[in-house]
Amino acid sequence: MSMAAIAKGLTTYVVPPRWLNRSDGRTHAARYCYSVYMRHLLHLHAVDADTNPHTIAEIGPGASIGTGLAGLIAGAKRYHGFDIKAYGSSPQNLAVFDDLVSLFKSRAAIPGTDEFTNIKPAIETTDFPRHILTDERLAQALADDRLARLRAALTPEGIAASDAPISYVAPWFEDAQLSRGSVDWIFSQAVMEHVDDLEATYAACRAWLAPGKAMSHQIDFKSHGTASTWNGHWAYSDSTWRMVRGARGYLINRAPHSRHRAAMAAAGFDILEDFRVTRSDGLGRARLAAPYRDLAEDDLTTAGAFIVARAPA
Ligand SMILES: C[S@@+](CC[C@H](N)C(=O)[O-])C[C@H]1O[C@@H](n2cnc3c(N)ncnc32)[C@H](O)[C@@H]1O
């Protein structure tokens, strides 16, 4: 348990709300977005999921919608971003877009963990995936007029257009945001560990996805600075945890790996891949708070997971 984390939580009640939840991830950098997109793409390919989706949606894009922009540049026609807080700006997105276009045009290798510490999911090779993003596919996707249309959609006027290929909603909370079965791929990176209502969010994903289409989520179960050990967030009682969270709009939900799997199954998903990162250090079971001390051994050692799940055909 960290007194500093509790003190930090308590100060959130006395600072202006705009100072809270200012951590917006790593999507400022086009190379990070490119790396995340490519990692999801390679894993989707490995399980025979759709790697050339028409409509894509992202939960929690953070600083920019760059990972979704990578998906659009690679061929998708529509993108929907849903965050709890509006972080992105038009100039930021335009800068990321331009850098992404250069990366795709040069078939750049996938940036690795030497550049972005701990980036996940792991991949076998950082080579540009020419077997998925073939020259034929990219000749169409990177056509000048297509890229110009996408870029125009990122300007304030473009975003406001009624037929815009890009939509961004923050905050979002209702499952009525998109029509049923209208999305071909949903993804998130370092987000689902923050989402308070996991069950409702996976149910919304299930409603939005077209039959047979997949979602992919990289989830980090670690303590996110709330404790000195990776699993120390499970040592707080619920009442102390409320102090750690304070007035923040989100922190981490403390849900272990199995709860994500259960919520996905309850929403009707079939899990195609569940690529876990395990750790054996951290606090022992006896030092955790109830109910965490009763976690299954798998949950107790799962520090991260990349899960691909499919809506039934
Ligand atoms: C650690 S950042 C990750 C951002 C980005 N995906 C990345 O890879 O850098 C977590 C993101 O999750 C978002 N978030 C938290 N709770 C959310 C919710 N219930 N729905 C959608 N986004 C949420 C935050 O606003 C933030 O943008």
Side-chain angles (χ1 to χ4, degrees), residues 43-65:
H43 281 265
L44 290 172
H45 179 75
V47 293
D48 272 338
D50 186 0
T51 52
N52 197 4
H54 179 283
T55 299
I56 65 180
E58 177 176 16
I59 315 284
S64 86
I65 57 167

Side-chain angles (χ1 to χ4, degrees), residues 171 207 262 264:
M264 288 180 196

Side-chain angles (χ1 to χ4, degrees), residues 24-27 32 58-62 82-85 87 172 189-191 194-195 250:
D24 53 8
R26 297 194 275 180
T27 53
Y32 170 82
E58 177 176 16
I59 315 284
F82 297 103
D83 211 311
I84 199 171
K85 181 174 171 180
Y87 290 104
W172 77 283
Q189 183 78 9
V191 173
H194 298 289
V195 167
Y250 69 91

Side-chain angles (χ1 to χ4, degrees), residues 30 37 43 70 78 80 111 115 152 165 193 232 247 252:
Y37 168 73
H43 281 265
R78 290 190 65 84
H80 303 281
E115 186 171 345
E193 68 269 26
I252 44 175

Side-chain angles (χ1 to χ4, degrees), residues 255-267:
H257 175 245
S258 64
R259 189 152 147 229
H260 290 261
R261 287 187 61 108
M264 288 180 196

Side-chain angles (χ1 to χ4, degrees), residues 161-190:
S162 59
D163 59 347
I166 296 169
S167 77
Y168 177 77
V169 184
W172 77 283
F173 292 112
E174 295 184 18
D175 68 354
Q177 297 282 357
L178 297 176
S179 322
R180 285 190 83 79
S182 62
V183 180
D184 305 301
W185 173 44
I186 297 175
F187 66 96
S188 75
Q189 183 78 9

